Amino acid sequence: MTIAAGLGRTVLRARRDTGFLAAGVLPHLALVPVWAWAATTTARTGNWLLTVSTSAVLVLLGTPLLTAVQRARHRVLIGVDVPRLALAAPERWTWTSAARWLAASRPWRKIGYHLLLGPPLALLELLVLAVAAASLAGVTAYAWSWALPTGIRLDWFGYLTQLPAYTAAGLLLLCALPSTARAVARAEARLASGLLGPSRAERLQERVDQLALSRTDLIEAVDAERRRIERDLHDGTQQRLVSLAVNLGLAMATRPDLPGDAREVIARAHLEAKEAIAELDDLVRGLHPVVLEDRGLDAALSGLAARTPLPVRLRVDLEERVAPHVESVAYFVISEALANATKHANAMRAEVMVRQVGEVLRVRVTDDGLGGADAAAGTGLTGLAKRVGSLDGAFHFSSPVGGPTTITAELPCAR
């Protein structure tokens, strides 16, 4: 059963590869009449300028059609996808933009494939088909020899001794046919992928663009999920805690006859509920403050500066609102930098500057604290650098011993 299954797969693969090669003969020879006509016409008339220009136009017009045929042939018959080069069309077609677009598409590779490699590939395909035909003719030598008229067989001297040799040669060629057809088909697929598809550098660049786009989508999805969590906490959990705190306060106010132990327990629960509300409020602000989504970065930073327990000088210079995920990262950097200045640096004052320069949002936070901040000491600087790096931004900090500490982030904000 295993031998039969393997033989069946070999036969199917050989039939597929041979059919693929047979389908490539005519497309590979399609441009032969063009340059044959150009050569004969030039030799006969001597008017090479008109002949060459006409044949060049025919080649340029026929190349896209032949390329599409070859792509379909590879995809349908052997399952090899020859990708297209993704080029954005210019917004305005001019001679300069058309020339740049044509140069970027590199049509000479396709022209070279169809015009120069086409005839040798067609010859190679015809050789493989000839081997297939000879192998079938040799294997069936006895059948077609007995189909000949009797007189021809009798006049064929030595046919009884030659037929076994024909049959053996046919069997040998038939055994070599699958590997030969497969090798030629693989070679053609590699040539087509290299000349009709994008180059390795172009494929890498296209992959980089796809990854950058998918990363941007992921960042936006994460930012949207963060906003959803903030809304759920603000509208759900926080409201329940507020209701709990109100009910505990009402219980103490309306039941003066409660025992002292019970009143103390209720008072402690009331205090813990209010502390939980305050902590949850800080957590919600840290995730994504509502004012950042509603009124933008300037208003959110004004509220952050007002809540910070040290004087903060804030300067925001924005031409327009940037993307929401850029606003979120900028707010996170400034919030963490001010928190570090308050908790770890013992700073007396801080300065925050946000400025949009072209397609870059520059954020700088400076404090007059003790300095000596170390990224490896658990001060959150590594997290800030990773958060900025997620947007392909640049993160720098300077914190000599004795201060001041300066944190700078440059975030791409092009929409």
Side-chain angles (χ1 to χ4, degrees):
M1 295 295 292
T2 304
I3 296 177
L7 182 60
R9 287 194 297 268
T10 302
V11 171
L12 290 176
R13 187 165 57 243
R15 186 176 65 181
R16 182 196 64 183
D17 294 336
T18 306
F20 167 75
L21 297 178
V25 175
L26 290 180
H28 282 144
L29 295 177
L31 293 182
V32 171
V34 175
W35 57 261
W37 170 83
T40 55
T41 305
T42 302
R44 187 176 65 252
T45 62
N47 190 358
W48 61 270
L49 181 60
L50 178 62
T51 304
V52 170
S53 59
T54 303
S55 60
V57 170
L58 291 176
V59 169
L60 288 175
L61 292 177
T63 295
L65 177 60
L66 291 175
T67 301
V69 170
Q70 291 292 351
R71 284 197 178 102
R73 168 175 164 254
H74 282 78
R75 183 179 63 255
V76 173
L77 296 181
I78 60 174
V80 174
D81 187 19
V82 180
R84 302 174 182 269
L85 178 60
L87 285 178
E91 297 179 357
R92 183 180 180 184
W93 286 97
T94 61
W95 287 107
T96 303
S97 63
R100 289 178 180 175
W101 183 84
L102 190 62
S105 63
R106 297 202 289 180
W108 53 85
R109 295 190 305 165
K110 302 180 180 64
I111 295 175
Y113 177 85
H114 297 297
L115 193 63
L116 301 179
L117 289 180
L121 289 176
L123 179 60
L124 190 60
E125 291 163 349
L126 288 174
L127 288 177
V128 175
L129 295 178
V131 170
S135 64
L136 293 177
V139 169
T140 59
Y142 279 99
W144 58 260
S145 64
W146 283 103
L148 295 174
T150 305
I152 296 178
R153 291 202 311 272
L154 294 176
D155 293 338
W156 183 3
F157 177 77
Y159 81 96
L160 291 177
T161 58
Q162 293 175 4
L163 286 179
Y166 292 158
T167 303
L171 288 173
L172 291 176
L173 291 177
L174 190 61
C175 292
L177 179 63
S179 58
T180 303
R182 185 169 180 79
V184 176
R186 283 184 175 181
E188 282 201 26
R190 290 181 180 179
L191 286 174
S193 298
L195 295 177
L196 300 183
S199 64
R200 177 178 175 81
E202 291 166 343
R203 289 197 299 269
L204 289 176
Q205 182 61 44
E206 185 177 359
R207 181 60 176 162
V208 168
D209 295 339
Q210 292 175 353
L211 290 176
L213 181 60
S214 63
R215 187 187 62 178
T216 301
D217 294 339
L218 178 61
I219 291 173
E220 292 178 352
V222 171
D223 191 63
E225 182 67 14
R226 187 183 296 114
R227 292 196 297 270
R228 185 192 66 80
I229 294 173
E230 179 271 329
R231 287 194 300 268
D232 291 344
L233 290 176
H234 183 271
D235 299 336
T237 307
Q238 194 172 28
Q239 296 304 319
R240 289 177 179 272
L241 286 175
V242 170
S243 177
L244 175 62
V246 170
N247 290 332
L248 291 173
L250 289 176
M252 289 190 300
T254 58
R255 296 296 301 274
D257 56 340
L258 287 174
D261 294 341
R263 180 174 293 275
E264 183 180 354
V265 171
I266 294 176
R268 189 181 304 113
H270 185 237
L271 179 61
E272 289 180 357
K274 291 194 293 184
E275 291 177 352
I277 293 172
E279 292 178 0
L280 186 60
D281 190 48
D282 293 338
L283 176 62
V284 168
R285 267 196 220 100
L287 285 174
H288 192 90
V290 180
V291 67
L292 179 62
E293 184 175 357
D294 295 339
R295 301 178 57 189
L297 188 60
D298 192 358
L301 292 179
S302 298
L304 177 63
R307 293 191 305 270
T308 303
L310 55 88
V312 177
R313 182 183 179 186
L314 177 64
R315 296 187 340 191
V316 179
D317 183 10
L318 296 178
E319 300 175 359
E320 57 182 358
R321 287 196 64 173
V322 296
H325 59 278
V326 178
E327 288 183 339
S328 179
V329 172
Y331 180 87
F332 178 78
V333 170
I334 297 171
S335 175
E336 288 296 314
L338 292 178
N340 288 339
T342 304
K343 296 178 181 178
H344 305 293
N346 296 327
M348 301 301 295
R349 65 181 60 87
E351 180 179 356
V352 177
M353 185 187 72
V354 180
R355 183 183 180 189
Q356 184 178 358
V357 180
E359 297 181 349
V360 176
L361 182 67
R362 293 180 178 175
V363 175
R364 188 179 67 188
V365 181
T366 305
D367 66 74
D368 60 350
L370 301 176
D374 185 5
T379 55
L381 294 174
T382 303
L384 292 180
K386 290 181 179 180
R387 191 75 177 268
V388 173
S390 66
L391 299 181
D392 276 343
F395 179 80
H396 307 282
F397 77 94
S398 173
S399 182
V401 177
T405 298
T406 301
I407 294 176
T408 305
E410 296 183 354
L411 305 173
C413 58
R415 288 183 178 270

